[in-house]
Amino acid sequence: MNKFNDDTFLARWLANELTDEELNSFKASKEYAKYEKIAEKSKQFQIPAFNKEAIKANIKTTIYKKPVKVIPFYARWSAAAAVALICALAGAFYWISTPTVFTSKTGEQLAFELPDGSLVKLNGAATVSFSKNDWKKNKRNLSLTGEAYFKVKKGSKFTVQTTQGTVSVLGTQFNVHTLKNYFAVECYEGKVSVADKNLTSILTPGKGIRFKNKVAENFTINNTSPNWTNNNYSYNNIPLQVVLNDFKNVYNVTIDLKKVDTDQEFTGKLITNDINKALKVICTPMQLNYSINNTNIVINSN
């Protein structure tokens, strides 16, 4: 067992009774920062006063034939109280710092409101997480995986963080789509700042930027909202993985790819009312074979 988790050790630490060697060893451990933060929080709590006379009145004298080591009651109470307090504060700290998470399933679109009144709509198999506690402090940071459409309340500024880039906004409407080796942002209203490790770009309404294998490409959009919110999909030299990801969400299926290069690019439309026709339109020009087994699609290269 880790000695730093021992209740007596923690109690002696809180009472400033550790030796210099013990204290230095504790400070060098990975647990120290966590317990130090909890201890700072514990200063806000008041420990009940110890009623020595009341305790003495309830003590019964017992005669032992052999000498025994007696641990003073206040020492046992101190250690137990310290550990209980630390555990309680650790739980409270965990609860306060736990992020709020919204996740949509494949084939599902999930809409919700942020604490400032801004609106978010997730496409299938996407996740947004944020801290309500930070949000109240005007630290409006979101983490996103997948695709989401944002309608930001006027005057509200926040940042959308993804593994491939960061989007900073102020009172605007925009869409963010992130997949492996693909990152795209479209702006419909206001201004959007998009940054990755290599560049920063400012988007205005009708403008978009996408990164395919980290190569940036600017483009123009005519729509006033993401195509997936209107079930109207069209592509112009878009990686196959993006097209198939939309296909999965439209038809709520899984896709098993057999040695298929999903970086190859597709131009065309996604048919949304006939799964067989949709697969033919996608697979035929890309020289791919497919088979359908209930809700599982298998796609192979020729």
Side-chain angles (χ1 to χ4, degrees):
M1 179 182 292
N2 191 325
K3 68 178 182 179
F4 302 136
N5 292 329
D6 178 73
D7 57 356
T8 303
F9 181 91
L10 294 174
R12 290 194 297 116
W13 170 61
L14 290 173
N16 296 317
E17 295 177 354
L18 295 182
T19 64
D20 290 342
E21 182 180 355
E22 287 177 319
L23 183 59
N24 290 334
S25 177
F26 187 29
K27 287 183 176 180
S29 71
K30 62 181 182 181
E31 293 95 340
Y32 180 75
K34 176 180 67 176
Y35 284 122
E36 183 182 37
K37 185 176 291 186
I38 293 171
E40 286 298 319
K41 292 287 186 180
S42 70
K43 294 178 181 179
Q44 302 173 15
F45 291 77
Q46 296 293 326
I47 297 177
F50 175 67
N51 193 333
K52 184 176 180 180
E53 296 303 321
I55 295 298
K56 289 173 64 176
N58 291 317
I59 294 178
K60 295 182 178 179
T61 303
T62 303
I63 300 176
Y64 294 90
K65 293 182 179 180
K66 295 182 179 180
V68 295
K69 182 179 180 181
V70 179
I71 300 176
F73 180 85
Y74 69 86
R76 287 185 280 117
W77 184 89
S78 173
V83 174
L85 182 58
I86 286 176
C87 290
L89 289 172
F93 178 77
Y94 174 79
W95 180 82
I96 292 172
S97 60
T98 300
T100 299
V101 180
F102 290 93
T103 299
S104 59
K105 299 177 182 178
T106 299
E108 175 186 52
Q109 294 182 7
L110 177 64
F112 58 92
E113 187 175 285
L114 296 172
D116 69 335
S118 297
L119 301 177
V120 181
K121 189 173 186 179
L122 298 181
N123 201 354
T127 297
V128 158
S129 63
F130 60 92
S131 168
K132 285 187 176 180
N133 192 45
D134 287 345
W135 205 273
K136 294 176 181 178
K137 300 175 182 177
N138 291 324
K139 297 178 181 178
R140 299 185 176 100
N141 296 314
L142 307 173
S143 293
L144 168 69
T145 58
E147 186 171 18
Y149 173 43
F150 297 86
K151 296 181 70 173
V152 182
K153 188 176 180 180
K154 299 294 183 182
S156 291
K157 182 178 181 179
F158 64 83
T159 299
V160 179
Q161 296 176 328
T162 76
T163 58
Q164 300 186 64
T166 301
V167 182
S168 300
V169 299
L170 174 61
T172 186
Q173 296 183 33
F174 64 102
N175 189 75
V176 182
H177 193 181
T178 177
L179 291 172
K180 182 181 179 181
N181 297 325
Y182 183 79
F183 176 48
V185 181
E186 296 181 359
C187 178
Y188 312 108
E189 182 181 295
K191 288 185 179 181
V192 177
S193 173
V194 182
D196 74 344
K197 294 181 180 179
N198 300 313
L199 63 84
T200 297
S201 179
I202 303 297
L203 302 181
T204 54
K207 303 296 182 181
I209 188 170
R210 53 180 164 245
F211 299 80
K212 296 183 287 188
N213 287 311
K214 299 182 180 180
V215 177
E217 173 185 305
N218 292 289
F219 61 96
T220 300
I221 56 176
N222 297 317
N223 47 310
T224 57
S225 61
N227 56 16
W228 58 270
T229 62
N230 301 312
N231 210 32
N232 181 21
Y233 300 82
S234 60
Y235 309 95
N236 184 19
N237 295 324
I238 297 299
L240 183 60
Q241 68 153 334
V242 178
V243 180
L244 293 178
N245 189 68
D246 288 339
F247 180 91
K248 287 193 298 183
N249 285 319
V250 168
Y251 291 101
N252 194 17
V253 295
T254 59
I255 298 179
D256 185 5
L257 298 171
K258 300 293 186 181
K259 298 181 179 179
V260 175
D261 178 12
T262 57
D263 286 335
Q264 59 182 315
E265 297 180 347
F266 174 82
T267 297
K269 289 190 175 184
L270 173 60
I271 296 174
T272 59
N273 57 2
D274 189 315
I275 192 170
N276 281 288
K277 287 183 179 180
L279 284 168
K280 285 182 180 179
V281 169
I282 295 171
C283 294
T284 300
M286 318 245 8
Q287 298 184 339
L288 301 173
N289 296 319
Y290 68 89
S291 62
I292 305 175
N293 182 14
N294 294 324
T295 60
N296 184 54
I297 311 297
V298 178
I299 299 179
N300 299 281
S301 57
N302 289 334

